[in-house]
Amino acid sequence: MASITMRFLAEPSTVNFGGKVHGGTVMKWIDEAGYACATHWAKRYCVTVFIGSVRFHRPIMIGDLVEVEAHLAYTGNSSMNISVEVRSGDLKSGELHKTTECLIVFVAVDADGKSMPVDAYSPSTPGEMALAARAKAHLDASRAAGARAAASEAHARGAASAAITSAIDASSISAVALDTAAVAASGRDEHHVVPEAAHLRADPDVAERDREPGVGRKP
């Protein structure tokens, strides 16, 4: 079975603060219908791995008849791409209107949570082929957006790292400059020469007399 339809009444327990069905409840219905469709196709337990392209067209009123239809669009090795449409309407009028649509992807898994292969699905009618093409386009767009977001985040991290490195280098240079200034101020700079010592080095005779005992010294 490549599709499944669930029908029920919107109960008062699903109300939101605006007096209508809560959007989270609608997403729960979508997930349940998608799970039923995927599990029936895979013949094993399935888990949700992606929900995208969600569109809320109109609210669902309490007491409305709700119809949630899940269609298998196409399959991968272990994944099933399912298009879900939610419709609702007043029982007295008998008219149903599209309220929500969504694309959801499930993966079949074994008892250990390892992904398992599923049977391939081949759309046969023009409507099924159009649905498969639309679902694939939505997924490709989501993947491209995710890749761009990842590249942007990596670029931002690189820029932040470069800024930190630059700040550390600047701090190190400032510290070296401060140390050099401190040494020079204390007279311990290695290039600083005491004036008297400079005079002795400049006059070798004086230096020689200073080394000879009793020469040039007052008794």
Side-chain angles (χ1 to χ4, degrees):
M1 180 174 60
S3 66
I4 188 171
T5 302
M6 299 165 48
R7 295 184 182 90
F8 46 86
L9 295 176
E11 299 180 355
S13 60
T14 62
V15 69
N16 65 10
F17 293 108
K20 304 173 182 64
V21 173
H22 198 288
T25 300
V26 178
M27 293 305 300
K28 176 177 177 289
W29 295 340
I30 288 173
D31 189 60
E32 289 173 346
Y35 171 79
C37 183
T39 300
H40 192 277
W41 180 264
K43 302 296 189 294
R44 63 173 62 250
Y45 181 67
C46 300
V47 295
T48 309
V49 296
F50 174 84
I51 295 180
S53 304
V54 183
R55 297 289 184 273
F56 290 93
H57 299 287
R58 58 190 298 166
I60 299 175
M61 309 305 294
I62 299 301
D64 276 359
L65 175 65
V66 179
E67 189 174 86
V68 186
E69 188 173 14
H71 280 276
L72 182 62
Y74 70 96
T75 56
N77 181 43
S78 61
S79 64
M80 291 151 286
N81 303 265
I82 297 171
S83 176
V84 183
E85 182 176 295
V86 182
R87 297 178 289 271
S88 72
D90 191 333
L91 280 170
K92 295 184 289 292
S93 68
E95 295 181 1
L96 297 180
H97 304 279
K98 181 166 67 174
T99 64
T100 315
E101 59 184 333
C102 175
L103 180 67
I104 186 167
V105 180
F106 286 86
V107 169
V109 296
D110 61 13
D112 297 322
K114 180 181 178 181
S115 60
M116 299 295 292
V118 297
D119 293 337
Y121 169 71
S122 299
S124 56
T125 67
E128 291 173 347
M129 293 177 185
L131 179 62
R134 188 165 64 251
K136 189 175 187 305
H138 282 312
L139 285 175
D140 289 343
S142 296
R143 292 190 183 103
R148 288 194 298 270
S152 177
E153 183 179 354
H155 177 74
R157 285 199 302 267
S161 177
I164 292 172
T165 301
S166 178
I168 292 174
D169 290 344
S171 176
S172 299
I173 292 172
S174 298
V176 171
L178 289 173
D179 289 344
T180 302
V183 170
S186 65
R188 289 182 286 105
D189 182 59
E190 60 179 353
H191 300 296
H192 178 73
V193 179
V194 178
E196 292 183 0
H199 174 72
L200 292 176
R201 292 189 188 120
D203 190 343
D205 292 334
V206 173
E208 184 64 26
R209 286 198 306 271
D210 189 59
R211 284 194 296 271
E212 294 178 4
V215 177
R217 297 180 181 175
K218 294 180 180 181

